[in-house]
Amino acid sequence: MKKAAIILNPYAGNKQLVDNIDDVVKKIEEAYGEVILHKTKDEGDGGRFLAEIADDVDLIIGAGGDGTIHELVNALCPLENRPTFAILPGGTCNDFSRAIGMDQDPFKAVDQILENRIEKLDVGHCSTNYFLNFWGIGLITQVSANIDSQVKDRFGRLSYYLSTAQTVKNYESFHLEIDSPDFTYSGDASMLIVGNGPFTGGIRAFFPDTDIQDGKFDILIVKEPSLRLIWDAVQSKLLNTTPANEDLLYYKTSSLSVTATPDQLIDCDGERNARTPATLENLKNYLSVIVGQFPV
């Protein structure tokens, strides 16, 4: 009989998942002979549990927001034998679950998981960290760091854009150096985003045409700290047009090395625990994931 494990962050989002988790378990039991439920308590708890049980289960379901999924993926990706992964979205933005077409209603997402449609998807790797959505420095890092938790709880995804408007006022550019097989860059920048998935902050903005199975990152360089430039970047991608602005640069590549002066704090799928310099690699078709309406 197949075995599944659900790793649940009971504090994620509006707690809809935790309040109805017994019903979720019963649904998963329709397809799996045994379902293990683990509720996290402390940071790192889910990753440690995953590492302990990975060899004994066929499916691991991450139930929570982007932070929960990031922790679980970073425990799963280093393993030699990786069980299939699935996501029950339960956070504020749920970026990667959107990228793979999972319904944002967790109970409809359960039905998608039971359909067992599996795809091999790309994963980004930088130093000891893996990422599904994005890696970034500059404004994107400061915006995330400046979000007030109470504002986030109240306004959800809108809090990211409120923070952007506040942060850009006093932000200063840095010197950026990029070397890759497909392009090089040397000059001032206010933001660098390396995208694996198409969603950032819950919207499909900077990289709407991203293919998370092609082994390539999407690269955005914003030269000046300007709301107008950021809006131009969002608008051009939403309209699938090339931005008519020399201060916005787009590239695709499978790997790159990044240095910055002064060195910059890195935002890796919302986690900020490292600084530049850094080397990034796209691990093509690295993780087996149950998807919904995919490709999105």
Side-chain angles (χ1 to χ4, degrees):
M1 296 291 288
K2 294 188 295 183
K3 183 186 295 187
I6 302 172
I7 302 177
L8 168 70
N9 178 358
Y11 307 105
N14 60 13
K15 299 186 179 181
Q16 183 183 23
L17 272 175
V18 69
D19 290 342
N20 297 276
I21 194 61
D22 290 342
D23 293 333
V24 170
V25 171
K26 289 178 182 178
K27 287 284 289 183
I28 300 297
E29 285 176 339
E30 293 176 8
Y32 290 84
E34 181 179 353
V35 178
I36 305 167
L37 173 63
H38 177 79
K39 297 180 182 179
T40 62
K41 297 179 180 179
D42 302 311
E43 184 176 352
D45 193 20
R48 286 188 291 271
F49 181 72
L50 184 151
E52 291 174 1
I53 56 100
D55 286 338
D56 300 321
V57 299
D58 303 286
L59 173 67
I60 292 177
I61 302 170
D66 290 322
T68 300
I69 302 308
H70 179 76
E71 178 182 319
L72 297 180
V73 164
N74 272 272
L76 181 61
C77 284
L79 303 178
E80 183 175 352
N81 297 310
R82 296 178 293 274
T84 301
F85 188 62
I87 301 173
L88 282 175
T92 302
C93 296
N94 305 313
D95 282 334
F96 199 71
S97 72
R98 295 176 190 273
I100 60 175
M102 299 303 293
D103 198 292
Q104 295 305 289
D105 180 331
F107 305 107
K108 293 180 180 178
V110 171
D111 292 332
Q112 290 176 311
I113 290 173
L114 293 178
E115 291 174 2
N116 199 42
R117 182 183 174 190
I118 300 172
E119 295 283 346
K120 289 187 177 294
L121 304 180
D122 299 345
V123 176
H125 183 243
C126 174
S127 184
T128 58
N129 284 313
Y130 297 83
F131 60 97
L132 297 175
N133 299 308
F134 76 93
W135 180 102
I137 58 175
L139 267 172
I140 192 167
T141 304
Q142 290 301 314
V143 166
S144 296
N146 291 344
I147 293 175
D148 183 276
S149 59
Q150 293 182 338
V151 173
K152 183 178 179 181
D153 289 342
R154 183 175 180 183
F155 293 102
R157 286 183 285 164
L158 178 60
S159 63
Y160 288 85
Y161 311 110
L162 296 174
S163 179
T164 300
Q166 292 297 318
T167 303
V168 76
K169 293 178 182 178
N170 302 311
Y171 191 79
E172 295 183 1
S173 299
F174 55 92
H175 184 77
L176 176 64
E177 299 271 353
I178 300 177
D179 185 35
S180 82
D182 302 285
F183 74 96
T184 60
Y185 177 81
S186 177
D188 289 341
S190 64
M191 181 167 71
L192 166 66
I193 300 179
V194 178
N196 185 54
F199 286 88
T200 306
I203 65 168
R204 191 180 185 120
F206 300 117
F207 307 119
D209 297 321
T210 293
D211 182 345
I212 53 178
Q213 294 180 302
D214 66 352
K216 299 281 189 179
F217 291 126
D218 290 277
I219 312 296
L220 168 66
I221 300 170
V222 180
K223 293 185 179 181
E224 297 294 329
S226 162
L227 275 177
R228 178 184 58 81
L229 281 180
I230 294 173
W231 170 244
D232 284 351
V234 171
Q235 187 177 46
S236 66
K237 292 293 98 179
L238 289 175
L239 298 175
N240 292 321
T241 60
T242 302
N245 195 311
E246 62 183 13
D247 291 324
L248 292 174
L249 302 175
Y250 286 94
Y251 303 97
K252 291 182 79 74
T253 190
S254 59
S255 62
L256 65 160
S257 60
V258 178
T259 59
T261 307
D263 65 320
Q264 298 291 304
L265 181 65
I266 295 168
D267 189 328
C268 186
D269 276 357
E271 299 301 313
R272 300 177 295 276
N273 53 20
R275 304 187 74 89
T276 56
T279 300
L280 293 81
E281 179 184 6
N282 188 297
L283 305 177
K284 184 177 181 180
N285 300 162
Y286 189 77
L287 196 62
S288 296
V289 181
I290 291 180
V291 301
Q293 298 300 317
F294 179 85
V296 177

